[in-house]
């Protein structure tokens, strides 16, 4: 029970947010509204799976939203060319894999700090996305019926994949030698190296995996709206906030998927309600930032988590 004390703390925060929402506008918690708003949670959820693995190793990826935008544009270009749905999806996923592999190669093999690498690719991927869109279609591309069916069909593939990937990532972290290796890297990379853990290989793999997830998130976004370079814009804040609020230490070596999922739910419900009730984008940023500070302070002082000792 003590192991999951922080998760219960998060559940309490979620209940507080929902209670405030119910007091201010009971309609927000109605099933119709929640079902309608839930469609926007999948991109956030997918990206946090990879970000959890990266932050556990004391890394960071600031480029996930930009990679998602680049993937969305590649999907749109394929749809604009009337290519089959399967080809469009593969092109989108391949773009995500390539973006993640570039980040992973620079971090793992060239040994550039992940903050510098992903800050650079944050701008580079977004620039490529906007440049490709303006030079070709010059406008967002509406999703084909085949792409829309992946999200809105009777058996929405994105939701099924998210569930499967969440279970797989949780098992990877909690039940495998690879997961223990990721925690070891975050605790003490030098000690992990002397223990024979393939640090470069694991780092390359998790950044590439995160790029693949960006491709899946781009498919979800494009199916709901359109294929555009604006996909994933400023989503990095929510992704990192959800993971950190979920209890994953920015110092590395600690974190669980269960906490990340609760962080996703807390961020999603908070953002949706503020947008719903006040319709002020700047207020949303303030509230999300406040939540992040409260969660970090609660994690540090209420649960005696010393960043120096993990």
């Amino acid at each position: 029970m003590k192991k999951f004390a922080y998760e219960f703390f998060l559940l309490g925060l979620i209940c507080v947010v929902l209670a405030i929402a119910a007091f201010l506008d009971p309609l927000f918690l109605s099933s119709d509204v929640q079902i309608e708003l839930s469609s926007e949670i999948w991109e956030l959820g997918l990206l946090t799976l990879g970000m959890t693995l990266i932050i556990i190793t004391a890394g960071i990826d600031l480029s996930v939203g930009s990679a998602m935008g680049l993937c969305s544009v590649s999907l749109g270009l394929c749809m604009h060319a009337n290519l089959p749905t399967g080809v469009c999806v593969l092109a989108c996923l391949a773009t995500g894999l390539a973006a993640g592999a570039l980040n992973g190669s620079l971090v793992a093999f060239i040994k550039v700090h992940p903050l510098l690498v992903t800050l650079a690719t944050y701008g580079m991927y977004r620039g490529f996305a906007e440049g490709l869109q303006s030079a070709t279609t010059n406008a967002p591309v509406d999703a084909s019926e085949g792409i829309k069916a992946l999200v809105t069909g009777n058996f929405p593939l994105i939701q099924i994949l998210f569930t499967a990937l969440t279970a797989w990532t949780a098992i990877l972290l909690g039940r495998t030698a690879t997961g223990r290796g990721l925690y070891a890297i975050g605790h003490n990379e030098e000690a992990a190296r002397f223990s024979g853990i393939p640090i470069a290989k694991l780092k390359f793999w998790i950044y590439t995996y995160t790029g693949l997830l960006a491709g899946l998130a781009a498919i979800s976004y494009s199916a709901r709206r359109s294929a555009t370079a604006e996909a994933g814009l400023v989503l990095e804040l929510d992704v990192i906030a959800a993971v950190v609020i979920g209890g994953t230490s920015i110092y590395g070596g600690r974190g669980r998927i269960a906490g990340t999922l609760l962080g996703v739910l807390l961020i999603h419900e908070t953002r949706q309600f503020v947008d719903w009730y006040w319709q002020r984008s700047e207020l949303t940023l303030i509230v999300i930032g406040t939540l992040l500070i409260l969660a970090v302070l609660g994690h540090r002082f209420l649960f005696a988590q010393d960043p120096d000792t993990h």
Side-chain angles (χ1 to χ4, degrees):
M1 185 65 69
K2 183 178 179 181
K3 180 180 179 181
F4 295 98
Y6 184 70
E7 279 78 3
F8 285 109
F9 170 70
L10 286 178
L11 280 173
L13 278 180
I14 293 170
C15 290
V16 169
V17 169
L18 294 180
I20 293 173
F23 175 76
L24 293 176
D25 189 349
L27 181 61
F28 176 76
L29 296 183
S30 67
S31 58
D32 291 341
V33 172
Q34 285 297 307
I35 290 173
E36 180 182 351
L37 296 178
S38 67
S39 61
E40 299 188 16
I41 200 173
W42 305 113
E43 296 98 70
L44 176 61
L46 283 166
L47 294 179
T48 57
L49 296 179
M51 189 67 76
T52 300
L53 301 181
I54 289 174
I55 295 181
I56 281 175
T57 64
I60 194 73
D61 188 349
L62 300 176
S63 70
V64 286
S66 298
M68 182 177 157
L70 183 58
C71 291
S72 184
V73 168
S74 70
L75 180 68
L77 293 179
C78 291
M79 290 191 296
H80 186 69
N82 295 317
L83 296 177
T85 298
V87 174
C88 296
V89 169
L90 288 177
C92 181
L93 297 179
T95 302
L97 277 172
L102 176 59
N103 286 340
S105 297
L106 293 172
V107 171
F109 303 121
I110 310 300
K111 301 187 186 305
V112 183
H113 194 283
L115 178 64
L116 297 177
V117 169
T118 59
L119 183 61
T121 54
Y122 164 83
M124 187 172 72
Y125 296 157
R126 186 68 66 187
F128 276 134
E130 293 176 355
L132 283 172
Q133 181 171 293
S134 62
T136 52
T137 61
N138 201 33
V141 178
D142 291 335
S144 64
E145 292 303 317
I147 298 296
K148 289 180 180 178
L150 297 177
V151 176
T152 61
N154 293 329
F155 298 98
L157 183 60
I158 291 297
Q159 297 178 26
I160 295 171
L161 281 174
F162 172 72
T163 303
L165 288 170
T166 298
W168 179 79
T169 307
I171 292 171
L172 173 79
L173 279 177
R175 302 293 180 182
T176 68
T178 298
R180 290 192 290 272
L182 294 175
Y183 283 117
I185 293 171
H187 272 295
N188 189 318
E189 185 170 323
E190 194 65 23
R193 180 175 291 107
F194 283 113
S195 298
I197 294 173
I199 294 174
K201 180 179 178 180
L202 289 180
K203 284 188 175 182
F204 174 78
W205 177 83
I206 59 176
Y207 280 93
T208 304
Y209 176 55
T210 302
L212 176 64
L213 293 173
L216 288 173
I219 294 171
S220 176
Y221 179 95
S222 302
R224 289 192 302 104
R225 300 184 181 183
S226 60
T228 172
E230 294 184 359
L233 193 64
V234 303
L235 189 58
E236 297 88 355
L237 171 64
D238 285 2
V239 173
I240 295 172
V243 174
V244 174
I245 285 174
T248 301
S249 173
I250 59 173
Y251 300 96
R254 185 178 68 244
R256 286 191 293 268
I257 292 298
T260 292
L261 294 179
L262 290 172
V264 168
L265 183 59
L266 180 60
I267 290 292
H268 172 75
E269 290 296 323
T270 302
R271 173 176 284 279
Q272 294 300 334
F273 178 71
V274 174
D275 288 343
W276 166 278
Y277 190 74
W278 285 287
Q279 298 180 359
R280 299 282 298 274
S281 58
E282 69 276 13
L283 183 58
T284 303
L285 295 174
I286 293 171
V287 171
I288 296 297
T290 302
L291 269 180
L292 180 57
I293 292 173
L294 289 175
V296 170
L297 290 177
H299 202 194
R300 177 74 183 275
F301 296 110
L302 297 180
F303 299 94
Q305 297 285 358
D306 186 348
D308 294 326
T309 60
H310 301 289

